Amino acid sequence: MNDNHPAGHGPARAVTLADVLALPVLAAGLPQVVTGALHLDRPVGWVHITELTDPASFLKGGELVLTTGMPLPEDAPGVRRYVDELADVGAAALVIELVRRYHRPPDALVDACRVRGLPLVTLAKDVNFLEVTQVVHALLLGNQADAMRRTQRIHEAFTALTLRGAGPEDVVRAAAEMCGRTVVLENLTHQALICEPSGGTVAEALTGWERRSRANGATDPAATRGPARWLTAPVEYQGERWGRVVMLPARPDGPAFGPEDITVLERTAMALTVARLVHSTPWERTAHRNALRDLVDQRHHSAEDARARCAALGLPTDRSRFVAALVAFRAGGGGTESETRLFQELRTAGVPALVGELAPDRLGVLLALRPSQPWRPILERLCGTVLSAAPRAVVSVGSEITDLSDTARSFREAARVAEATPPGQPLPPDRSFHELSDIGLPRLLYALREDTRIQEYTEQRLGRLIDHDAQHGTDLLATLRHYLEAAGNKTTAARRGALSRETMYQRLRTIERVLDRDLESGAQRTELHVALTALDALRAH
């Protein structure tokens, strides 16, 4: 647990051999570590005073054994047997007082302790063993009381999360903060849906996730699994196993998981099981949505983090080509149904992709392609799925990219295509989606229709002519349109407008007078053509 967590304090550090030797009551005896100096971090669970020749029969493991040395056997085999029994039962250390029987530790005792890795500590001065037990036991009991209070706070924190209907991200984040370790939620196919790193990066936690996860075994109750010593617990849904939650070691040589870590993970699994019932949207889809939004908004800390997270969701990031598509829904929506259909369609087709809602009316799709795989047939298939659910939807595509770090750019391009597509815009005859090459002048001006500079330009060029038509009941704007579309050919323009040549000439002279423009000038005709196209875009809006 992290001290910053709202549940309260961090976990108690076990009382170690080094801690006990530093206590004034023992330090007064001038303790010297003869063997096992590398094992001073051993936890001490109790203190046992003994003058028996077979003290191990009264031990359970973790005890600090205090003796004056009086019961030690005289012979070397007896000494070895004495030490073996202590080591076998898991005693934390042997402390011998060099005051009464011995003034230096017997060689046989030193050798036996060194062979078994049992810490041997000598005391040069007389120490009150009873006082040692009182001080250490008080310390241990205080730690146990603190641990009980912390465990209670853990339960209270997760109960509060459950009662307020916290989602899986909140639960996993709380677990990571409580234990100060990285916590990951994965499904049965070993896809990492949520990762809360602690003291490291997403890339460090998730690189090679599926391979590492499979190597670290299945899960029944909360238990330490596999060569990497992951702490795992199962997450269920409607009585069946759905996935598991994983707590990663702080580092390969770091401290082992303690009882509070197990408590945190067990409560995490319980809270996730409840959350799975409360939150109906499949978590795989939520994970896709969050990963896609982070790519689009460039919220990843690094390119490595982005690749590791997407790869852990099943997107092959080692592929060299990606295509971003955007589905924009008109009035009536259809986004949720289309998202479900697309998700299922891509799974059925075996096409690796991320699918997720980017905004209430925008659905994003990121396809991962093999080097020679054409993407247009795949997109046509997806368009059929989308348009069957939402016929008025517009599917637009950004340019093909070769690195995930360019995902945001490709989606911006797709968004520009969507913005430049007016309602009812016909599709090209050979496809069901729009792409950058479709944006000509009319669609570009449609995309810029809300820019006041475009509005001012249009009004400046055509406002007087529109006012003239309104005041005099004429239709000079239509005549100008025919003329410009005929590229200045008066005969063609007259035919399109069903006018005589003389009437056409007269109207063109009136237009030149009202607008104070020379229609014989190619540059001025271009300006008017742009203004007329912008006017159409404004009126379409």
Side-chain angles (χ1 to χ4, degrees):
M1 279 168 58
N2 188 307
D3 285 344
N4 295 325
H5 186 267
H9 306 291
R13 185 174 64 83
V15 177
T16 66
L17 178 57
D19 296 330
V20 173
L21 296 180
L23 293 172
V25 67
L26 263 178
L30 304 179
Q32 180 179 357
V33 180
V34 180
T35 66
L38 297 179
H39 303 301
L40 295 182
D41 59 348
R42 282 188 176 182
V44 174
W46 206 243
V47 178
H48 184 72
I49 304 171
T50 182
E51 298 299 340
L52 299 175
T53 57
D54 60 341
S57 59
F58 296 92
L59 306 180
K60 294 183 178 180
E63 292 88 355
L64 181 71
V65 179
L66 303 179
T67 180
T68 61
M70 299 300 292
L72 282 178
E74 296 284 351
D75 58 310
V79 171
R80 285 196 299 270
R81 183 172 59 252
Y82 182 92
V83 171
D84 285 341
E85 290 177 357
L86 292 179
D88 289 342
V89 80
L94 174 63
V95 178
I96 181 172
E97 188 182 71
L98 301 180
V99 176
R100 292 169 176 82
R101 180 177 177 184
Y102 297 106
H103 297 285
R104 59 184 298 273
D107 293 339
L109 180 62
V110 173
D111 293 340
C113 289
R114 182 175 290 115
V115 169
R116 293 305 306 270
L118 179 68
L120 174 63
V121 180
T122 61
L123 299 175
K125 291 186 177 183
D126 189 24
V127 168
N128 187 327
F129 283 176
L130 182 58
E131 188 177 349
V132 172
T133 61
Q134 291 173 337
V135 171
V136 176
H137 290 170
L139 180 62
L140 292 171
L141 292 173
N143 264 23
Q144 291 174 9
D146 287 344
M148 291 177 64
R149 285 192 290 270
R150 277 187 296 275
T151 299
Q152 180 62 29
R153 284 194 287 267
I154 291 171
H155 290 300
E156 291 172 352
F158 278 106
T159 298
L161 286 169
T162 300
L163 290 177
R164 69 178 174 85
E169 294 87 357
D170 295 328
V171 174
V172 174
R173 185 179 306 113
E177 291 175 353
M178 286 184 192
C179 62
R181 300 177 189 265
T182 296
V183 179
V184 179
L185 173 66
E186 67 170 13
N187 60 13
L188 286 179
T189 60
H190 300 277
Q191 291 182 344
L193 306 185
I194 302 173
C195 174
E196 279 295 333
S198 179
T201 65
V202 171
E204 291 170 346
L206 295 184
T207 297
W209 178 261
E210 181 178 349
R211 170 185 53 79
R212 292 162 54 213
S213 178
R214 292 184 183 277
N216 280 278
T219 299
D220 291 312
T224 304
R225 298 280 175 177
R229 309 301 293 165
W230 289 3
L231 186 63
T232 65
V235 177
E236 296 185 350
Y237 178 56
Q238 295 182 343
E240 296 184 357
R241 180 174 296 174
W242 172 87
R244 67 177 180 174
V245 60
V246 178
M247 188 180 292
L248 302 181
R251 58 183 188 277
D253 59 342
F257 294 111
E260 289 179 33
D261 294 318
I262 295 174
T263 300
V264 168
L265 199 68
E266 288 175 338
R267 286 307 309 262
T268 301
M270 292 172 58
L272 288 170
T273 295
V274 174
R276 188 70 185 84
L277 295 170
V278 173
H279 298 271
S280 58
T281 302
W283 288 352
E284 288 87 352
R285 281 171 48 189
T286 303
H288 275 225
R289 183 182 306 166
N290 292 340
L292 201 56
R293 288 177 178 178
D294 287 347
L295 284 172
V296 171
D297 296 335
Q298 297 179 300
R299 289 197 291 250
H300 288 288
H301 290 117
S302 67
E304 291 75 16
D305 278 7
R307 283 192 290 270
R309 183 180 180 192
C310 292
L313 284 173
L315 191 76
T317 56
D318 56 343
R319 298 190 176 183
S320 57
R321 297 164 60 236
F322 302 89
V323 172
L326 193 66
V327 183
F329 299 97
R330 304 301 186 189
T336 301
E337 182 180 355
S338 295
E339 182 179 1
T340 301
R341 289 192 178 190
L342 276 181
F343 202 86
Q344 295 171 345
E345 178 69 24
L346 288 163
R347 277 194 166 179
T348 301
V351 178
L354 293 180
V355 181
E357 186 183 60
L358 301 179
D361 60 345
R362 295 290 172 93
L363 183 65
V365 181
L366 181 65
L367 301 173
L369 306 166
R370 295 187 299 272
S372 59
Q373 184 178 17
W375 57 266
R376 292 177 182 274
I378 298 174
L379 205 57
E380 283 292 341
R381 181 173 177 175
L382 298 185
C383 286
T385 300
V386 169
L387 296 176
S388 66
R392 300 185 63 192
V394 173
V395 182
S396 55
V397 186
S399 58
E400 189 178 293
I401 58 177
T402 58
D403 193 285
L404 277 179
S405 60
D406 292 325
T407 299
R409 173 176 59 81
S410 189
F411 271 107
R412 282 197 299 270
E413 293 170 351
R416 284 201 293 269
V417 174
E419 291 165 359
T421 305
Q425 175 72 33
L427 285 161
D430 58 339
R431 49 186 159 85
S432 303
F433 55 87
H434 302 268
E435 53 186 326
L436 279 170
S437 59
D438 297 332
I439 301 180
L441 179 62
R443 292 178 63 171
L444 176 63
L445 291 172
Y446 178 78
L448 299 174
R449 63 191 179 276
E450 295 183 358
D451 191 317
T452 56
R453 290 170 295 183
I454 297 295
Q455 298 168 8
E456 290 171 356
Y457 178 86
T458 303
E459 180 64 23
Q460 183 185 35
R461 293 296 187 276
L462 298 176
R464 283 174 292 176
L465 190 62
I466 296 172
D467 292 342
H468 184 279
D469 279 347
Q471 294 168 6
H472 298 87
T474 55
D475 196 10
L476 295 179
L477 190 67
T479 300
L480 177 61
R481 183 187 302 279
H482 293 314
Y483 178 70
L484 295 176
E485 289 177 350
N489 187 308
K490 297 182 179 66
T491 301
T492 301
R495 184 173 64 252
R496 290 180 175 177
L499 302 173
S500 67
R501 288 173 58 87
E502 184 60 35
T503 302
M504 172 59 69
Y505 292 157
Q506 179 184 355
R507 289 191 175 189
L508 291 178
R509 285 193 295 271
T510 302
I511 291 171
E512 287 182 320
R513 176 177 55 79
V514 171
L515 295 180
D516 191 21
R517 293 284 163 175
D518 179 8
L519 295 182
E520 296 298 322
S521 166
Q524 294 191 27
R525 283 205 307 270
T526 299
E527 291 177 1
L528 291 171
H529 177 69
V530 171
L532 192 58
T533 305
L535 180 65
D536 291 341
L538 293 170
R539 287 180 170 178
H541 181 53

